[in-house]
Amino acid sequence: MTLSDEELAEELTSDLGRAPSRLRVVAGRFFRSPQGLAGFAVLALMFLLAFAGPLFTPWSYTDKDFTAFLQPPSPRHWFGTLQTGADVYAVTLRGMQKSLIVGLLAALVSTAVAAVVGAFSGYFLGWTDRALSWVTDLLLVLPAFLILAIMSPLFGAGQWVLFVVMLALFLWMVTAKIVRGMTISLKEREYIQAARFMGVPPVRIIFRHVIPNLSSLLIVDATLNVSAAILTETSLSYFGFGIQPPDVSFGTLIADGSRTAVYAPWTFWFVAGLLVVTVLAVNLIGDALRDAFDPAARR
């Protein structure tokens, strides 16, 4: 096969040829949406607060003020202090950093796995499809919370990346089934068949033609998986099965603050409010992206 054959096969992928203009259209529709614009602005503000906010306080999340135990908000401690003397503002922003990082990475990994597994399963069918579908169905019936709880001793200090991998392992199965069905339909398109008849390798077709044409589904799925991963991490950490001390996250802070929420509300409501606002912003972005990619969506 000559180089010109490959170039001709790629020219037949009309959707990819229109990618830049389509991206501009989708971006324009997204930012014209009030909920998309609001979600993007709030989420950007959350990231700015999480990563730039600690620069404006002299306290670190590991520091303790032994002269101020469980003190209300003050000019010295903007969000008050915990029972240990830790600055609530510092530990809250550290927890938000960790939860945002875990949510984003878990969403990206799970969406990537779903795209690859679903595309390979739908394109090759046969034994490949049966094997990958068996793995997908097996993970769907396994009790994810119980497995993560059993493995929690491995998520010690510095091992949060393993926690991200395990969290992503249980987020991709439903999307993979959707991608499989769409791939079965997509591989019958003329440009896919033309590339196959011209000898383009199947793996190249999957990664250059199939998966990019499922980008709208995958982008929306990745966005919605961010909020799902954040809430799952928060739930696991609340029960002590997620991020482990001395590090903190939304879940560990909510678990600690719930014990003193009645008589020291600043230990609970600041972090709970930031969690609600973050998840709401991500969901608004996901809904706006879904409408922006949908050609039948109205203003």
mmCIF file with all atom_site columns, all heavy atoms in Angstrom, residues 195-209:
data_model
loop_
_atom_site.group_PDB
_atom_site.id
_atom_site.type_symbol
_atom_site.label_atom_id
_atom_site.label_alt_id
_atom_site.label_comp_id
_atom_site.label_asym_id
_atom_site.label_entity_id
_atom_site.label_seq_id
_atom_site.pdbx_PDB_ins_code
_atom_site.Cartn_x
_atom_site.Cartn_y
_atom_site.Cartn_z
_atom_site.occupancy
_atom_site.B_iso_or_equiv
_atom_site.pdbx_formal_charge
_atom_site.auth_seq_id
_atom_site.auth_comp_id
_atom_site.auth_asym_id
_atom_site.auth_atom_id
_atom_site.pdbx_PDB_model_num
ATOM 1   N N   . ALA A 1 195 ? -11.544 2.317  3.951  1.00 0.00 ? 195 ALA A N   1
ATOM 2   C CA  . ALA A 1 195 ? -10.235 2.182  4.594  1.00 0.00 ? 195 ALA A CA  1
ATOM 3   C C   . ALA A 1 195 ? -9.887  0.727  4.820  1.00 0.00 ? 195 ALA A C   1
ATOM 4   O O   . ALA A 1 195 ? -8.729  0.317  4.641  1.00 0.00 ? 195 ALA A O   1
ATOM 5   C CB  . ALA A 1 195 ? -10.232 2.943  5.922  1.00 0.00 ? 195 ALA A CB  1
ATOM 6   N N   . ARG A 1 196 ? -10.867 -0.093 5.206  1.00 0.00 ? 196 ARG A N   1
ATOM 7   C CA  . ARG A 1 196 ? -10.615 -1.517 5.432  1.00 0.00 ? 196 ARG A CA  1
ATOM 8   C C   . ARG A 1 196 ? -10.237 -2.219 4.130  1.00 0.00 ? 196 ARG A C   1
ATOM 9   O O   . ARG A 1 196 ? -9.292  -3.019 4.080  1.00 0.00 ? 196 ARG A O   1
ATOM 10  C CB  . ARG A 1 196 ? -11.863 -2.162 6.040  1.00 0.00 ? 196 ARG A CB  1
ATOM 11  C CG  . ARG A 1 196 ? -11.643 -3.610 6.477  1.00 0.00 ? 196 ARG A CG  1
ATOM 12  C CD  . ARG A 1 196 ? -12.949 -4.274 6.885  1.00 0.00 ? 196 ARG A CD  1
ATOM 13  N NE  . ARG A 1 196 ? -13.663 -3.461 7.858  1.00 0.00 ? 196 ARG A NE  1
ATOM 14  C CZ  . ARG A 1 196 ? -14.934 -3.099 7.731  1.00 0.00 ? 196 ARG A CZ  1
ATOM 15  N NH1 . ARG A 1 196 ? -15.625 -3.474 6.655  1.00 0.00 ? 196 ARG A NH1 1
ATOM 16  N NH2 . ARG A 1 196 ? -15.519 -2.370 8.648  1.00 0.00 ? 196 ARG A NH2 1
ATOM 17  N N   . PHE A 1 197 ? -10.961 -1.926 3.040  1.00 0.00 ? 197 PHE A N   1
ATOM 18  C CA  . PHE A 1 197 ? -10.682 -2.576 1.758  1.00 0.00 ? 197 PHE A CA  1
ATOM 19  C C   . PHE A 1 197 ? -9.325  -2.149 1.189  1.00 0.00 ? 197 PHE A C   1
ATOM 20  O O   . PHE A 1 197 ? -8.705  -2.894 0.436  1.00 0.00 ? 197 PHE A O   1
ATOM 21  C CB  . PHE A 1 197 ? -11.785 -2.257 0.756  1.00 0.00 ? 197 PHE A CB  1
ATOM 22  C CG  . PHE A 1 197 ? -13.107 -2.871 1.120  1.00 0.00 ? 197 PHE A CG  1
ATOM 23  C CD1 . PHE A 1 197 ? -14.295 -2.272 0.714  1.00 0.00 ? 197 PHE A CD1 1
ATOM 24  C CD2 . PHE A 1 197 ? -13.180 -4.038 1.872  1.00 0.00 ? 197 PHE A CD2 1
ATOM 25  C CE1 . PHE A 1 197 ? -15.522 -2.821 1.050  1.00 0.00 ? 197 PHE A CE1 1
ATOM 26  C CE2 . PHE A 1 197 ? -14.401 -4.587 2.212  1.00 0.00 ? 197 PHE A CE2 1
ATOM 27  C CZ  . PHE A 1 197 ? -15.572 -3.987 1.805  1.00 0.00 ? 197 PHE A CZ  1
ATOM 28  N N   . MET A 1 198 ? -8.864  -0.962 1.575  1.00 0.00 ? 198 MET A N   1
ATOM 29  C CA  . MET A 1 198 ? -7.580  -0.490 1.075  1.00 0.00 ? 198 MET A CA  1
ATOM 30  C C   . MET A 1 198 ? -6.417  -0.981 1.918  1.00 0.00 ? 198 MET A C   1
ATOM 31  O O   . MET A 1 198 ? -5.267  -0.644 1.663  1.00 0.00 ? 198 MET A O   1
ATOM 32  C CB  . MET A 1 198 ? -7.573  1.044  1.020  1.00 0.00 ? 198 MET A CB  1
ATOM 33  C CG  . MET A 1 198 ? -8.598  1.602  0.040  1.00 0.00 ? 198 MET A CG  1
ATOM 34  S SD  . MET A 1 198 ? -8.692  3.398  0.080  1.00 0.00 ? 198 MET A SD  1
ATOM 35  C CE  . MET A 1 198 ? -7.091  3.842  -0.549 1.00 0.00 ? 198 MET A CE  1
ATOM 36  N N   . GLY A 1 199 ? -6.706  -1.786 2.962  1.00 0.00 ? 199 GLY A N   1
ATOM 37  C CA  . GLY A 1 199 ? -5.650  -2.414 3.732  1.00 0.00 ? 199 GLY A CA  1
ATOM 38  C C   . GLY A 1 199 ? -5.176  -1.652 4.942  1.00 0.00 ? 199 GLY A C   1
ATOM 39  O O   . GLY A 1 199 ? -4.130  -1.992 5.516  1.00 0.00 ? 199 GLY A O   1
ATOM 40  N N   . VAL A 1 200 ? -5.912  -0.634 5.362  1.00 0.00 ? 200 VAL A N   1
ATOM 41  C CA  . VAL A 1 200 ? -5.522  0.086  6.581  1.00 0.00 ? 200 VAL A CA  1
ATOM 42  C C   . VAL A 1 200 ? -5.699  -0.852 7.769  1.00 0.00 ? 200 VAL A C   1
ATOM 43  O O   . VAL A 1 200 ? -6.743  -1.487 7.906  1.00 0.00 ? 200 VAL A O   1
ATOM 44  C CB  . VAL A 1 200 ? -6.376  1.356  6.759  1.00 0.00 ? 200 VAL A CB  1
ATOM 45  C CG1 . VAL A 1 200 ? -5.988  2.084  8.047  1.00 0.00 ? 200 VAL A CG1 1
ATOM 46  C CG2 . VAL A 1 200 ? -6.217  2.271  5.554  1.00 0.00 ? 200 VAL A CG2 1
ATOM 47  N N   . PRO A 1 201 ? -4.705  -0.986 8.650  1.00 0.00 ? 201 PRO A N   1
ATOM 48  C CA  . PRO A 1 201 ? -4.811  -1.905 9.792  1.00 0.00 ? 201 PRO A CA  1
ATOM 49  C C   . PRO A 1 201 ? -6.006  -1.587 10.677 1.00 0.00 ? 201 PRO A C   1
ATOM 50  O O   . PRO A 1 201 ? -6.353  -0.412 10.873 1.00 0.00 ? 201 PRO A O   1
ATOM 51  C CB  . PRO A 1 201 ? -3.483  -1.690 10.542 1.00 0.00 ? 201 PRO A CB  1
ATOM 52  C CG  . PRO A 1 201 ? -2.554  -1.124 9.519  1.00 0.00 ? 201 PRO A CG  1
ATOM 53  C CD  . PRO A 1 201 ? -3.404  -0.316 8.598  1.00 0.00 ? 201 PRO A CD  1
ATOM 54  N N   . PRO A 1 202 ? -6.648  -2.621 11.224 1.00 0.00 ? 202 PRO A N   1
ATOM 55  C CA  . PRO A 1 202 ? -7.828  -2.389 12.062 1.00 0.00 ? 202 PRO A CA  1
ATOM 56  C C   . PRO A 1 202 ? -7.562  -1.473 13.258 1.00 0.00 ? 202 PRO A C   1
ATOM 57  O O   . PRO A 1 202 ? -8.401  -0.635 13.592 1.00 0.00 ? 202 PRO A O   1
ATOM 58  C CB  . PRO A 1 202 ? -8.220  -3.800 12.523 1.00 0.00 ? 202 PRO A CB  1
ATOM 59  C CG  . PRO A 1 202 ? -7.664  -4.709 11.481 1.00 0.00 ? 202 PRO A CG  1
ATOM 60  C CD  . PRO A 1 202 ? -6.404  -4.060 11.012 1.00 0.00 ? 202 PRO A CD  1
ATOM 61  N N   . VAL A 1 203 ? -6.419  -1.636 13.909 1.00 0.00 ? 203 VAL A N   1
ATOM 62  C CA  . VAL A 1 203 ? -6.122  -0.795 15.070 1.00 0.00 ? 203 VAL A CA  1
ATOM 63  C C   . VAL A 1 203 ? -6.038  0.674  14.658 1.00 0.00 ? 203 VAL A C   1
ATOM 64  O O   . VAL A 1 203 ? -6.507  1.565  15.369 1.00 0.00 ? 203 VAL A O   1
ATOM 65  C CB  . VAL A 1 203 ? -4.815  -1.249 15.743 1.00 0.00 ? 203 VAL A CB  1
ATOM 66  C CG1 . VAL A 1 203 ? -4.426  -0.296 16.877 1.00 0.00 ? 203 VAL A CG1 1
ATOM 67  C CG2 . VAL A 1 203 ? -4.957  -2.667 16.279 1.00 0.00 ? 203 VAL A CG2 1
ATOM 68  N N   . ARG A 1 204 ? -5.449  0.920  13.483 1.00 0.00 ? 204 ARG A N   1
ATOM 69  C CA  . ARG A 1 204 ? -5.352  2.292  12.982 1.00 0.00 ? 204 ARG A CA  1
ATOM 70  C C   . ARG A 1 204 ? -6.741  2.852  12.679 1.00 0.00 ? 204 ARG A C   1
ATOM 71  O O   . ARG A 1 204 ? -7.029  4.029  12.965 1.00 0.00 ? 204 ARG A O   1
ATOM 72  C CB  . ARG A 1 204 ? -4.480  2.317  11.727 1.00 0.00 ? 204 ARG A CB  1
ATOM 73  C CG  . ARG A 1 204 ? -4.274  3.716  11.141 1.00 0.00 ? 204 ARG A CG  1
ATOM 74  C CD  . ARG A 1 204 ? -3.438  3.628  9.875  1.00 0.00 ? 204 ARG A CD  1
ATOM 75  N NE  . ARG A 1 204 ? -3.283  4.922  9.244  1.00 0.00 ? 204 ARG A NE  1
ATOM 76  C CZ  . ARG A 1 204 ? -2.324  5.794  9.531  1.00 0.00 ? 204 ARG A CZ  1
ATOM 77  N NH1 . ARG A 1 204 ? -1.436  5.491  10.465 1.00 0.00 ? 204 ARG A NH1 1
ATOM 78  N NH2 . ARG A 1 204 ? -2.250  6.951  8.904  1.00 0.00 ? 204 ARG A NH2 1
ATOM 79  N N   . ILE A 1 205 ? -7.606  2.020  12.135 1.00 0.00 ? 205 ILE A N   1
ATOM 80  C CA  . ILE A 1 205 ? -8.968  2.468  11.841 1.00 0.00 ? 205 ILE A CA  1
ATOM 81  C C   . ILE A 1 205 ? -9.696  2.829  13.131 1.00 0.00 ? 205 ILE A C   1
ATOM 82  O O   . ILE A 1 205 ? -10.391 3.847  13.204 1.00 0.00 ? 205 ILE A O   1
ATOM 83  C CB  . ILE A 1 205 ? -9.738  1.372  11.072 1.00 0.00 ? 205 ILE A CB  1
ATOM 84  C CG1 . ILE A 1 205 ? -9.137  1.182  9.674  1.00 0.00 ? 205 ILE A CG1 1
ATOM 85  C CG2 . ILE A 1 205 ? -11.219 1.725  10.967 1.00 0.00 ? 205 ILE A CG2 1
ATOM 86  C CD1 . ILE A 1 205 ? -9.781  0.056  8.889  1.00 0.00 ? 205 ILE A CD1 1
ATOM 87  N N   . ILE A 1 206 ? -9.516  2.009  14.150 1.00 0.00 ? 206 ILE A N   1
ATOM 88  C CA  . ILE A 1 206 ? -10.208 2.256  15.424 1.00 0.00 ? 206 ILE A CA  1
ATOM 89  C C   . ILE A 1 206 ? -9.758  3.579  16.038 1.00 0.00 ? 206 ILE A C   1
ATOM 90  O O   . ILE A 1 206 ? -10.580 4.406  16.453 1.00 0.00 ? 206 ILE A O   1
ATOM 91  C CB  . ILE A 1 206 ? -9.969  1.086  16.396 1.00 0.00 ? 206 ILE A CB  1
ATOM 92  C CG1 . ILE A 1 206 ? -10.719 -0.157 15.904 1.00 0.00 ? 206 ILE A CG1 1
ATOM 93  C CG2 . ILE A 1 206 ? -10.409 1.459  17.808 1.00 0.00 ? 206 ILE A CG2 1
ATOM 94  C CD1 . ILE A 1 206 ? -10.415 -1.404 16.701 1.00 0.00 ? 206 ILE A CD1 1
ATOM 95  N N   . PHE A 1 207 ? -8.435  3.795  16.093 1.00 0.00 ? 207 PHE A N   1
ATOM 96  C CA  . PHE A 1 207 ? -7.926  4.975  16.787 1.00 0.00 ? 207 PHE A CA  1
ATOM 97  C C   . PHE A 1 207 ? -7.957  6.241  15.933 1.00 0.00 ? 207 PHE A C   1
ATOM 98  O O   . PHE A 1 207 ? -7.954  7.346  16.483 1.00 0.00 ? 207 PHE A O   1
ATOM 99  C CB  . PHE A 1 207 ? -6.486  4.723  17.270 1.00 0.00 ? 207 PHE A CB  1
ATOM 100 C CG  . PHE A 1 207 ? -6.416  3.845  18.489 1.00 0.00 ? 207 PHE A CG  1
ATOM 101 C CD1 . PHE A 1 207 ? -6.044  2.513  18.381 1.00 0.00 ? 207 PHE A CD1 1
ATOM 102 C CD2 . PHE A 1 207 ? -6.733  4.347  19.738 1.00 0.00 ? 207 PHE A CD2 1
ATOM 103 C CE1 . PHE A 1 207 ? -5.979  1.705  19.502 1.00 0.00 ? 207 PHE A CE1 1
ATOM 104 C CE2 . PHE A 1 207 ? -6.670  3.550  20.863 1.00 0.00 ? 207 PHE A CE2 1
ATOM 105 C CZ  . PHE A 1 207 ? -6.300  2.219  20.747 1.00 0.00 ? 207 PHE A CZ  1
ATOM 106 N N   . ARG A 1 208 ? -7.976  6.096  14.607 1.00 0.00 ? 208 ARG A N   1
ATOM 107 C CA  . ARG A 1 208 ? -7.969  7.277  13.747 1.00 0.00 ? 208 ARG A CA  1
ATOM 108 C C   . ARG A 1 208 ? -9.352  7.647  13.247 1.00 0.00 ? 208 ARG A C   1
ATOM 109 O O   . ARG A 1 208 ? -9.600  8.809  12.920 1.00 0.00 ? 208 ARG A O   1
ATOM 110 C CB  . ARG A 1 208 ? -7.044  7.039  12.547 1.00 0.00 ? 208 ARG A CB  1
ATOM 111 C CG  . ARG A 1 208 ? -5.579  6.913  12.904 1.00 0.00 ? 208 ARG A CG  1
ATOM 112 C CD  . ARG A 1 208 ? -5.012  8.215  13.451 1.00 0.00 ? 208 ARG A CD  1
ATOM 113 N NE  . ARG A 1 208 ? -5.115  9.296  12.495 1.00 0.00 ? 208 ARG A NE  1
ATOM 114 C CZ  . ARG A 1 208 ? -4.194  9.537  11.560 1.00 0.00 ? 208 ARG A CZ  1
ATOM 115 N NH1 . ARG A 1 208 ? -3.118  8.782  11.479 1.00 0.00 ? 208 ARG A NH1 1
ATOM 116 N NH2 . ARG A 1 208 ? -4.355  10.546 10.725 1.00 0.00 ? 208 ARG A NH2 1
ATOM 117 N N   . HIS A 1 209 ? -10.263 6.675  13.170 1.00 0.00 ? 209 HIS A N   1
ATOM 118 C CA  . HIS A 1 209 ? -11.544 6.940  12.545 1.00 0.00 ? 209 HIS A CA  1
ATOM 119 C C   . HIS A 1 209 ? -12.743 6.647  13.451 1.00 0.00 ? 209 HIS A C   1
ATOM 120 O O   . HIS A 1 209 ? -13.699 7.420  13.478 1.00 0.00 ? 209 HIS A O   1
ATOM 121 C CB  . HIS A 1 209 ? -11.688 6.135  11.253 1.00 0.00 ? 209 HIS A CB  1
ATOM 122 C CG  . HIS A 1 209 ? -10.553 6.360  10.288 1.00 0.00 ? 209 HIS A CG  1
ATOM 123 N ND1 . HIS A 1 209 ? -9.979  7.587  10.095 1.00 0.00 ? 209 HIS A ND1 1
ATOM 124 C CD2 . HIS A 1 209 ? -9.888  5.491  9.468  1.00 0.00 ? 209 HIS A CD2 1
ATOM 125 C CE1 . HIS A 1 209 ? -9.011  7.491  9.195  1.00 0.00 ? 209 HIS A CE1 1
ATOM 126 N NE2 . HIS A 1 209 ? -8.930  6.237  8.804  1.00 0.00 ? 209 HIS A NE2 1
#
